[in-house]
Amino acid sequence: MTTTASVPEAPGALPLVGHALPLFRNPLGFLRSLPAYGDLVQIRIGPQRAIVLCTPELTRYVLVSDRVFDKGGVLFDRAREVLGNSVLTCPHSQHRRQRRLTQPAFHHVRLAGQAEVMLEHVNAVTACWNDGQVIDVPADMEKITSRVLLATMFSTMLSPETMAHTSDDLTVVLAGIYRRMFLPAVLDGLPTTANRRYHRANGRLRHTVTSAVGGRLGAVAHDGGGDDLLSILLNARDPEGDEPGLSDIELADQAVTFFMAGVETAATTLAWSLHLLSRNRGVEERLHAEVDAVVGGRPATYQDIPKLPLAGGIVRETLRLYPPVPLITRTTTRDTRLGGCCIPIGTTIAYSLYLIHHRPDTYSDPGRFDPGRWAATAGRSPERDAFFAFGGGARKCMGDQFGLAQAVLALATIATRWKLRPAAGTDSRPQLSSTLRPKRLRMHTIDRAGDAPHY
């Protein structure tokens, strides 16, 4: 009988930190190397062992079997320090109720109104660009996505200064979650600079959100509140449950989760998209032709999205090439079998979207940037069946359409006026931090309306 003891272990692990060095020094190369050892491969995340799934079939099976492969493992253990017991991190036994109560916040009928907020902040950030300027692309994309999330979540409750501080705190907290994954828990309480920054940022973030929840509670009691995400959560009722709505603690957990999940991942996807376009001029020219034909110089709208298939394909292909969170964990709730192996209860299972999205036997020429993979004429294919950017099963990301709409509208708005070209000092090597982001992506802005030089 095959057991976990017989699952091969990837080479290169060190005492205490496990495979932290290859994961931080060359995360993508390390992940790509794992299928050579088998369909199941053991790695060490800090002091803990995890079994990595190396096939799309096993990944899909784990995603849809969320009762057996529950949210857990070292990633979610650390994430709960920040997110609490939210719809993203809660166990299977609590998920159905939380999903029913939070899903209305992302109902498709609200997207048109949310898209107006998205475009307002895309235009506000890009209006500050000047021809020939050098911008920090990830930083500017994070300005857009953080402002969008804060505006759609809290409406006008937070001042611009508070919004800026909250965005900074989020960056510190996200980076801390991944760093702490690889460290023994005994080090958590040490008064290091990194620990102090992490705890301060986490405390401020929770305080800001909790205060906003309290303020919105008062508004709802007085006049019913507004139509922002937080008001929708406050008014949500569960006809199937004993508890009619979300508690104050649950509301704060959901708010932090929505903010955290929606800011960094969306910003990183946009940054990679702009980087890939600068390296693929043919695709960039086709995108400019598409937005010129559809938008024609006016602001893009939510109704334009179906008319921008290339922009949508660029976003999906970017998510395939550079999934924001490249390694995710689950934990087994009972003894089970997986890939012909007996897996005991409490085993950490890990899956890598990057690994699956780069298998050459699933994606033809997987390293090539090809938005045409996602064209409507492509039909169903093994490539589409192996695309897990938004997860799968009952715990599939419920904000997927919000995120896709934001990315397509931002990309179309930028492409209407601007080209971006790499600037001196750019280092686009992927870096595993809070997300899989370019190490340093600085780019020249080129106004398409002028005769600016091509850098």
PDB file of all heavy atoms in Angstrom, residues 296-327:
ATOM      1  N   GLY A 296     -13.090  54.591 -28.934  1.00  0.00           N
ATOM      2  CA  GLY A 296     -12.998  55.770 -29.777  1.00  0.00           C
ATOM      3  C   GLY A 296     -12.688  57.055 -29.035  1.00  0.00           C
ATOM      4  O   GLY A 296     -13.174  58.122 -29.398  1.00  0.00           O
ATOM      5  N   GLY A 297     -11.909  56.979 -27.971  1.00  0.00           N
ATOM      6  CA  GLY A 297     -11.507  58.178 -27.252  1.00  0.00           C
ATOM      7  C   GLY A 297     -12.380  58.550 -26.076  1.00  0.00           C
ATOM      8  O   GLY A 297     -11.974  59.334 -25.217  1.00  0.00           O
ATOM      9  N   ARG A 298     -13.597  58.005 -26.005  1.00  0.00           N
ATOM     10  CA  ARG A 298     -14.452  58.288 -24.849  1.00  0.00           C
ATOM     11  C   ARG A 298     -14.083  57.344 -23.706  1.00  0.00           C
ATOM     12  O   ARG A 298     -13.380  56.352 -23.897  1.00  0.00           O
ATOM     13  CB  ARG A 298     -15.924  58.076 -25.227  1.00  0.00           C
ATOM     14  CG  ARG A 298     -16.245  56.652 -25.615  1.00  0.00           C
ATOM     15  CD  ARG A 298     -17.743  56.423 -25.773  1.00  0.00           C
ATOM     16  NE  ARG A 298     -18.031  55.117 -26.341  1.00  0.00           N
ATOM     17  CZ  ARG A 298     -17.990  53.970 -25.675  1.00  0.00           C
ATOM     18  NH1 ARG A 298     -17.662  53.965 -24.384  1.00  0.00           N
ATOM     19  NH2 ARG A 298     -18.266  52.825 -26.271  1.00  0.00           N
ATOM     20  N   PRO A 299     -14.540  57.606 -22.492  1.00  0.00           N
ATOM     21  CA  PRO A 299     -14.270  56.680 -21.393  1.00  0.00           C
ATOM     22  C   PRO A 299     -14.931  55.319 -21.647  1.00  0.00           C
ATOM     23  O   PRO A 299     -16.046  55.244 -22.173  1.00  0.00           O
ATOM     24  CB  PRO A 299     -14.910  57.372 -20.178  1.00  0.00           C
ATOM     25  CG  PRO A 299     -14.993  58.809 -20.556  1.00  0.00           C
ATOM     26  CD  PRO A 299     -15.220  58.835 -22.034  1.00  0.00           C
ATOM     27  N   ALA A 300     -14.242  54.249 -21.317  1.00  0.00           N
ATOM     28  CA  ALA A 300     -14.813  52.909 -21.442  1.00  0.00           C
ATOM     29  C   ALA A 300     -15.940  52.737 -20.428  1.00  0.00           C
ATOM     30  O   ALA A 300     -15.989  53.433 -19.413  1.00  0.00           O
ATOM     31  CB  ALA A 300     -13.734  51.857 -21.207  1.00  0.00           C
ATOM     32  N   THR A 301     -16.845  51.814 -20.718  1.00  0.00           N
ATOM     33  CA  THR A 301     -17.956  51.543 -19.807  1.00  0.00           C
ATOM     34  C   THR A 301     -18.076  50.037 -19.592  1.00  0.00           C
ATOM     35  O   THR A 301     -17.478  49.236 -20.317  1.00  0.00           O
ATOM     36  CB  THR A 301     -19.292  52.065 -20.369  1.00  0.00           C
ATOM     37  OG1 THR A 301     -19.648  51.289 -21.534  1.00  0.00           O
ATOM     38  CG2 THR A 301     -19.192  53.530 -20.744  1.00  0.00           C
ATOM     39  N   TYR A 302     -18.890  49.679 -18.616  1.00  0.00           N
ATOM     40  CA  TYR A 302     -19.121  48.258 -18.346  1.00  0.00           C
ATOM     41  C   TYR A 302     -19.725  47.563 -19.567  1.00  0.00           C
ATOM     42  O   TYR A 302     -19.418  46.408 -19.848  1.00  0.00           O
ATOM     43  CB  TYR A 302     -20.052  48.126 -17.141  1.00  0.00           C
ATOM     44  CG  TYR A 302     -20.429  46.696 -16.812  1.00  0.00           C
ATOM     45  CD1 TYR A 302     -19.477  45.802 -16.318  1.00  0.00           C
ATOM     46  CD2 TYR A 302     -21.737  46.252 -16.999  1.00  0.00           C
ATOM     47  CE1 TYR A 302     -19.815  44.494 -16.020  1.00  0.00           C
ATOM     48  CE2 TYR A 302     -22.086  44.942 -16.691  1.00  0.00           C
ATOM     49  CZ  TYR A 302     -21.126  44.070 -16.213  1.00  0.00           C
ATOM     50  OH  TYR A 302     -21.457  42.782 -15.930  1.00  0.00           O
ATOM     51  N   GLN A 303     -20.571  48.262 -20.308  1.00  0.00           N
ATOM     52  CA  GLN A 303     -21.199  47.678 -21.489  1.00  0.00           C
ATOM     53  C   GLN A 303     -20.196  47.401 -22.609  1.00  0.00           C
ATOM     54  O   GLN A 303     -20.490  46.631 -23.532  1.00  0.00           O
ATOM     55  CB  GLN A 303     -22.303  48.608 -22.016  1.00  0.00           C
ATOM     56  CG  GLN A 303     -23.557  48.654 -21.149  1.00  0.00           C
ATOM     57  CD  GLN A 303     -23.339  49.375 -19.819  1.00  0.00           C
ATOM     58  OE1 GLN A 303     -22.508  50.297 -19.737  1.00  0.00           O
ATOM     59  NE2 GLN A 303     -24.058  48.967 -18.782  1.00  0.00           N
ATOM     60  N   ASP A 304     -19.006  48.003 -22.535  1.00  0.00           N
ATOM     61  CA  ASP A 304     -17.993  47.777 -23.567  1.00  0.00           C
ATOM     62  C   ASP A 304     -17.252  46.457 -23.382  1.00  0.00           C
ATOM     63  O   ASP A 304     -16.611  45.971 -24.319  1.00  0.00           O
ATOM     64  CB  ASP A 304     -16.951  48.913 -23.551  1.00  0.00           C
ATOM     65  CG  ASP A 304     -17.529  50.233 -24.015  1.00  0.00           C
ATOM     66  OD1 ASP A 304     -18.372  50.217 -24.929  1.00  0.00           O
ATOM     67  OD2 ASP A 304     -17.139  51.277 -23.463  1.00  0.00           O
ATOM     68  N   ILE A 305     -17.299  45.878 -22.182  1.00  0.00           N
ATOM     69  CA  ILE A 305     -16.471  44.713 -21.884  1.00  0.00           C
ATOM     70  C   ILE A 305     -16.666  43.568 -22.874  1.00  0.00           C
ATOM     71  O   ILE A 305     -15.675  43.005 -23.376  1.00  0.00           O
ATOM     72  CB  ILE A 305     -16.685  44.255 -20.429  1.00  0.00           C
ATOM     73  CG1 ILE A 305     -16.138  45.314 -19.457  1.00  0.00           C
ATOM     74  CG2 ILE A 305     -15.998  42.906 -20.175  1.00  0.00           C
ATOM     75  CD1 ILE A 305     -16.366  44.994 -17.998  1.00  0.00           C
ATOM     76  N   PRO A 306     -17.910  43.185 -23.228  1.00  0.00           N
ATOM     77  CA  PRO A 306     -18.055  42.090 -24.203  1.00  0.00           C
ATOM     78  C   PRO A 306     -17.478  42.416 -25.577  1.00  0.00           C
ATOM     79  O   PRO A 306     -17.206  41.503 -26.368  1.00  0.00           O
ATOM     80  CB  PRO A 306     -19.583  41.897 -24.281  1.00  0.00           C
ATOM     81  CG  PRO A 306     -20.118  42.492 -23.026  1.00  0.00           C
ATOM     82  CD  PRO A 306     -19.214  43.624 -22.705  1.00  0.00           C
ATOM     83  N   LYS A 307     -17.288  43.706 -25.872  1.00  0.00           N
ATOM     84  CA  LYS A 307     -16.741  44.115 -27.168  1.00  0.00           C
ATOM     85  C   LYS A 307     -15.220  44.207 -27.141  1.00  0.00           C
ATOM     86  O   LYS A 307     -14.602  44.642 -28.124  1.00  0.00           O
ATOM     87  CB  LYS A 307     -17.323  45.475 -27.556  1.00  0.00           C
ATOM     88  CG  LYS A 307     -18.844  45.525 -27.541  1.00  0.00           C
ATOM     89  CD  LYS A 307     -19.328  46.956 -27.727  1.00  0.00           C
ATOM     90  CE  LYS A 307     -20.811  47.083 -27.462  1.00  0.00           C
ATOM     91  NZ  LYS A 307     -21.275  48.500 -27.507  1.00  0.00           N
ATOM     92  N   LEU A 308     -14.617  43.835 -26.025  1.00  0.00           N
ATOM     93  CA  LEU A 308     -13.160  43.911 -25.859  1.00  0.00           C
ATOM     94  C   LEU A 308     -12.595  42.513 -25.598  1.00  0.00           C
ATOM     95  O   LEU A 308     -11.956  42.271 -24.572  1.00  0.00           O
ATOM     96  CB  LEU A 308     -12.813  44.852 -24.713  1.00  0.00           C
ATOM     97  CG  LEU A 308     -13.246  46.316 -24.886  1.00  0.00           C
ATOM     98  CD1 LEU A 308     -13.141  47.067 -23.563  1.00  0.00           C
ATOM     99  CD2 LEU A 308     -12.396  47.002 -25.955  1.00  0.00           C
ATOM    100  N   PRO A 309     -12.807  41.561 -26.516  1.00  0.00           N
ATOM    101  CA  PRO A 309     -12.362  40.183 -26.257  1.00  0.00           C
ATOM    102  C   PRO A 309     -10.856  40.042 -26.145  1.00  0.00           C
ATOM    103  O   PRO A 309     -10.379  39.205 -25.372  1.00  0.00           O
ATOM    104  CB  PRO A 309     -12.909  39.403 -27.459  1.00  0.00           C
ATOM    105  CG  PRO A 309     -13.064  40.420 -28.541  1.00  0.00           C
ATOM    106  CD  PRO A 309     -13.472  41.678 -27.837  1.00  0.00           C
ATOM    107  N   LEU A 310     -10.102  40.841 -26.895  1.00  0.00           N
ATOM    108  CA  LEU A 310      -8.646  40.734 -26.791  1.00  0.00           C
ATOM    109  C   LEU A 310      -8.179  41.204 -25.417  1.00  0.00           C
ATOM    110  O   LEU A 310      -7.312  40.564 -24.800  1.00  0.00           O
ATOM    111  CB  LEU A 310      -7.961  41.545 -27.883  1.00  0.00           C
ATOM    112  CG  LEU A 310      -6.423  41.519 -27.837  1.00  0.00           C
ATOM    113  CD1 LEU A 310      -5.884  40.093 -27.931  1.00  0.00           C
ATOM    114  CD2 LEU A 310      -5.836  42.391 -28.947  1.00  0.00           C
ATOM    115  N   ALA A 311      -8.738  42.301 -24.928  1.00  0.00           N
ATOM    116  CA  ALA A 311      -8.373  42.773 -23.586  1.00  0.00           C
ATOM    117  C   ALA A 311      -8.671  41.695 -22.550  1.00  0.00           C
ATOM    118  O   ALA A 311      -7.867  41.438 -21.645  1.00  0.00           O
ATOM    119  CB  ALA A 311      -9.119  44.060 -23.244  1.00  0.00           C
ATOM    120  N   GLY A 312      -9.834  41.036 -22.681  1.00  0.00           N
ATOM    121  CA  GLY A 312     -10.166  39.949 -21.765  1.00  0.00           C
ATOM    122  C   GLY A 312      -9.205  38.785 -21.888  1.00  0.00           C
ATOM    123  O   GLY A 312      -8.803  38.182 -20.883  1.00  0.00           O
ATOM    124  N   GLY A 313      -8.808  38.457 -23.116  1.00  0.00           N
ATOM    125  CA  GLY A 313      -7.839  37.381 -23.322  1.00  0.00           C
ATOM    126  C   GLY A 313      -6.479  37.707 -22.742  1.00  0.00           C
ATOM    127  O   GLY A 313      -5.788  36.828 -22.215  1.00  0.00           O
ATOM    128  N   ILE A 314      -6.079  38.967 -22.824  1.00  0.00           N
ATOM    129  CA  ILE A 314      -4.798  39.392 -22.242  1.00  0.00           C
ATOM    130  C   ILE A 314      -4.815  39.203 -20.728  1.00  0.00           C
ATOM    131  O   ILE A 314      -3.839  38.715 -20.137  1.00  0.00           O
ATOM    132  CB  ILE A 314      -4.509  40.859 -22.613  1.00  0.00           C
ATOM    133  CG1 ILE A 314      -4.177  40.965 -24.108  1.00  0.00           C
ATOM    134  CG2 ILE A 314      -3.357  41.420 -21.766  1.00  0.00           C
ATOM    135  CD1 ILE A 314      -4.179  42.389 -24.629  1.00  0.00           C
ATOM    136  N   VAL A 315      -5.916  39.573 -20.091  1.00  0.00           N
ATOM    137  CA  VAL A 315      -6.012  39.417 -18.635  1.00  0.00           C
ATOM    138  C   VAL A 315      -5.948  37.941 -18.254  1.00  0.00           C
ATOM    139  O   VAL A 315      -5.214  37.553 -17.332  1.00  0.00           O
ATOM    140  CB  VAL A 315      -7.307  40.058 -18.115  1.00  0.00           C
ATOM    141  CG1 VAL A 315      -7.518  39.729 -16.638  1.00  0.00           C
ATOM    142  CG2 VAL A 315      -7.275  41.573 -18.312  1.00  0.00           C
ATOM    143  N   ARG A 316      -6.696  37.087 -18.951  1.00  0.00           N
ATOM    144  CA  ARG A 316      -6.690  35.656 -18.632  1.00  0.00           C
ATOM    145  C   ARG A 316      -5.330  35.032 -18.894  1.00  0.00           C
ATOM    146  O   ARG A 316      -4.852  34.200 -18.117  1.00  0.00           O
ATOM    147  CB  ARG A 316      -7.772  34.942 -19.442  1.00  0.00           C
ATOM    148  CG  ARG A 316      -9.185  35.211 -18.929  1.00  0.00           C
ATOM    149  CD  ARG A 316     -10.236  34.554 -19.807  1.00  0.00           C
ATOM    150  NE  ARG A 316     -11.562  34.662 -19.215  1.00  0.00           N
ATOM    151  CZ  ARG A 316     -12.338  35.743 -19.302  1.00  0.00           C
ATOM    152  NH1 ARG A 316     -11.904  36.815 -19.962  1.00  0.00           N
ATOM    153  NH2 ARG A 316     -13.518  35.761 -18.724  1.00  0.00           N
ATOM    154  N   GLU A 317      -4.683  35.421 -19.980  1.00  0.00           N
ATOM    155  CA  GLU A 317      -3.368  34.858 -20.276  1.00  0.00           C
ATOM    156  C   GLU A 317      -2.334  35.320 -19.255  1.00  0.00           C
ATOM    157  O   GLU A 317      -1.425  34.571 -18.890  1.00  0.00           O
ATOM    158  CB  GLU A 317      -2.943  35.244 -21.696  1.00  0.00           C
ATOM    159  CG  GLU A 317      -1.609  34.671 -22.156  1.00  0.00           C
ATOM    160  CD  GLU A 317      -1.621  33.158 -22.391  1.00  0.00           C
ATOM    161  OE1 GLU A 317      -2.565  32.474 -21.933  1.00  0.00           O
ATOM    162  OE2 GLU A 317      -0.671  32.655 -23.023  1.00  0.00           O
ATOM    163  N   THR A 318      -2.475  36.550 -18.779  1.00  0.00           N
ATOM    164  CA  THR A 318      -1.588  37.031 -17.715  1.00  0.00           C
ATOM    165  C   THR A 318      -1.792  36.214 -16.446  1.00  0.00           C
ATOM    166  O   THR A 318      -0.821  35.830 -15.782  1.00  0.00           O
ATOM    167  CB  THR A 318      -1.851  38.520 -17.438  1.00  0.00           C
ATOM    168  OG1 THR A 318      -1.640  39.279 -18.631  1.00  0.00           O
ATOM    169  CG2 THR A 318      -0.925  39.035 -16.336  1.00  0.00           C
ATOM    170  N   LEU A 319      -3.044  35.939 -16.105  1.00  0.00           N
ATOM    171  CA  LEU A 319      -3.331  35.124 -14.924  1.00  0.00           C
ATOM    172  C   LEU A 319      -2.796  33.706 -15.087  1.00  0.00           C
ATOM    173  O   LEU A 319      -2.422  33.060 -14.098  1.00  0.00           O
ATOM    174  CB  LEU A 319      -4.836  35.082 -14.677  1.00  0.00           C
ATOM    175  CG  LEU A 319      -5.450  36.362 -14.106  1.00  0.00           C
ATOM    176  CD1 LEU A 319      -6.969  36.326 -14.220  1.00  0.00           C
ATOM    177  CD2 LEU A 319      -5.031  36.554 -12.652  1.00  0.00           C
ATOM    178  N   ARG A 320      -2.767  33.206 -16.305  1.00  0.00           N
ATOM    179  CA  ARG A 320      -2.180  31.882 -16.527  1.00  0.00           C
ATOM    180  C   ARG A 320      -0.673  31.922 -16.323  1.00  0.00           C
ATOM    181  O   ARG A 320      -0.100  31.078 -15.613  1.00  0.00           O
ATOM    182  CB  ARG A 320      -2.494  31.375 -17.943  1.00  0.00           C
ATOM    183  CG  ARG A 320      -1.965  29.954 -18.198  1.00  0.00           C
ATOM    184  CD  ARG A 320      -2.085  29.562 -19.650  1.00  0.00           C
ATOM    185  NE  ARG A 320      -1.151  30.282 -20.513  1.00  0.00           N
ATOM    186  CZ  ARG A 320       0.126  29.954 -20.685  1.00  0.00           C
ATOM    187  NH1 ARG A 320       0.652  28.936 -20.015  1.00  0.00           N
ATOM    188  NH2 ARG A 320       0.893  30.651 -21.494  1.00  0.00           N
ATOM    189  N   LEU A 321      -0.017  32.897 -16.935  1.00  0.00           N
ATOM    190  CA  LEU A 321       1.442  32.968 -16.859  1.00  0.00           C
ATOM    191  C   LEU A 321       1.935  33.354 -15.468  1.00  0.00           C
ATOM    192  O   LEU A 321       2.935  32.823 -14.986  1.00  0.00           O
ATOM    193  CB  LEU A 321       1.958  33.975 -17.888  1.00  0.00           C
ATOM    194  CG  LEU A 321       1.921  33.536 -19.340  1.00  0.00           C
ATOM    195  CD1 LEU A 321       2.189  34.724 -20.264  1.00  0.00           C
ATOM    196  CD2 LEU A 321       2.946  32.435 -19.600  1.00  0.00           C
ATOM    197  N   TYR A 322       1.235  34.280 -14.830  1.00  0.00           N
ATOM    198  CA  TYR A 322       1.679  34.790 -13.522  1.00  0.00           C
ATOM    199  C   TYR A 322       0.512  34.807 -12.536  1.00  0.00           C
ATOM    200  O   TYR A 322       0.013  35.876 -12.160  1.00  0.00           O
ATOM    201  CB  TYR A 322       2.256  36.199 -13.663  1.00  0.00           C
ATOM    202  CG  TYR A 322       3.481  36.281 -14.530  1.00  0.00           C
ATOM    203  CD1 TYR A 322       3.431  36.866 -15.792  1.00  0.00           C
ATOM    204  CD2 TYR A 322       4.701  35.758 -14.099  1.00  0.00           C
ATOM    205  CE1 TYR A 322       4.562  36.943 -16.591  1.00  0.00           C
ATOM    206  CE2 TYR A 322       5.836  35.830 -14.886  1.00  0.00           C
ATOM    207  CZ  TYR A 322       5.755  36.418 -16.136  1.00  0.00           C
ATOM    208  OH  TYR A 322       6.877  36.494 -16.921  1.00  0.00           O
ATOM    209  N   PRO A 323       0.042  33.649 -12.103  1.00  0.00           N
ATOM    210  CA  PRO A 323      -1.035  33.644 -11.095  1.00  0.00           C
ATOM    211  C   PRO A 323      -0.561  34.344  -9.832  1.00  0.00           C
ATOM    212  O   PRO A 323       0.550  34.095  -9.361  1.00  0.00           O
ATOM    213  CB  PRO A 323      -1.283  32.148 -10.859  1.00  0.00           C
ATOM    214  CG  PRO A 323      -0.024  31.461 -11.302  1.00  0.00           C
ATOM    215  CD  PRO A 323       0.529  32.288 -12.412  1.00  0.00           C
ATOM    216  N   PRO A 324      -1.378  35.250  -9.279  1.00  0.00           N
ATOM    217  CA  PRO A 324      -0.912  36.071  -8.154  1.00  0.00           C
ATOM    218  C   PRO A 324      -0.438  35.268  -6.954  1.00  0.00           C
ATOM    219  O   PRO A 324       0.558  35.618  -6.319  1.00  0.00           O
ATOM    220  CB  PRO A 324      -2.143  36.912  -7.803  1.00  0.00           C
ATOM    221  CG  PRO A 324      -2.909  36.994  -9.084  1.00  0.00           C
ATOM    222  CD  PRO A 324      -2.705  35.673  -9.742  1.00  0.00           C
ATOM    223  N   VAL A 325      -1.149  34.193  -6.604  1.00  0.00           N
ATOM    224  CA  VAL A 325      -0.740  33.363  -5.463  1.00  0.00           C
ATOM    225  C   VAL A 325      -0.312  32.007  -6.024  1.00  0.00           C
ATOM    226  O   VAL A 325      -1.157  31.191  -6.382  1.00  0.00           O
ATOM    227  CB  VAL A 325      -1.887  33.195  -4.451  1.00  0.00           C
ATOM    228  CG1 VAL A 325      -1.402  32.414  -3.228  1.00  0.00           C
ATOM    229  CG2 VAL A 325      -2.426  34.564  -4.023  1.00  0.00           C
ATOM    230  N   PRO A 326       0.983  31.763  -6.126  1.00  0.00           N
ATOM    231  CA  PRO A 326       1.446  30.565  -6.847  1.00  0.00           C
ATOM    232  C   PRO A 326       1.382  29.266  -6.060  1.00  0.00           C
ATOM    233  O   PRO A 326       1.464  28.188  -6.645  1.00  0.00           O
ATOM    234  CB  PRO A 326       2.899  30.905  -7.184  1.00  0.00           C
ATOM    235  CG  PRO A 326       3.317  31.845  -6.089  1.00  0.00           C
ATOM    236  CD  PRO A 326       2.092  32.629  -5.733  1.00  0.00           C
ATOM    237  N   LEU A 327       1.231  29.335  -4.738  1.00  0.00           N
ATOM    238  CA  LEU A 327       1.205  28.115  -3.936  1.00  0.00           C
ATOM    239  C   LEU A 327       0.156  28.266  -2.840  1.00  0.00           C
ATOM    240  O   LEU A 327       0.214  29.201  -2.035  1.00  0.00           O
ATOM    241  CB  LEU A 327       2.582  27.855  -3.303  1.00  0.00           C
ATOM    242  CG  LEU A 327       2.777  26.478  -2.659  1.00  0.00           C
ATOM    243  CD1 LEU A 327       2.760  25.382  -3.721  1.00  0.00           C
ATOM    244  CD2 LEU A 327       4.088  26.438  -1.876  1.00  0.00           C
TER     245      LEU A 327
END
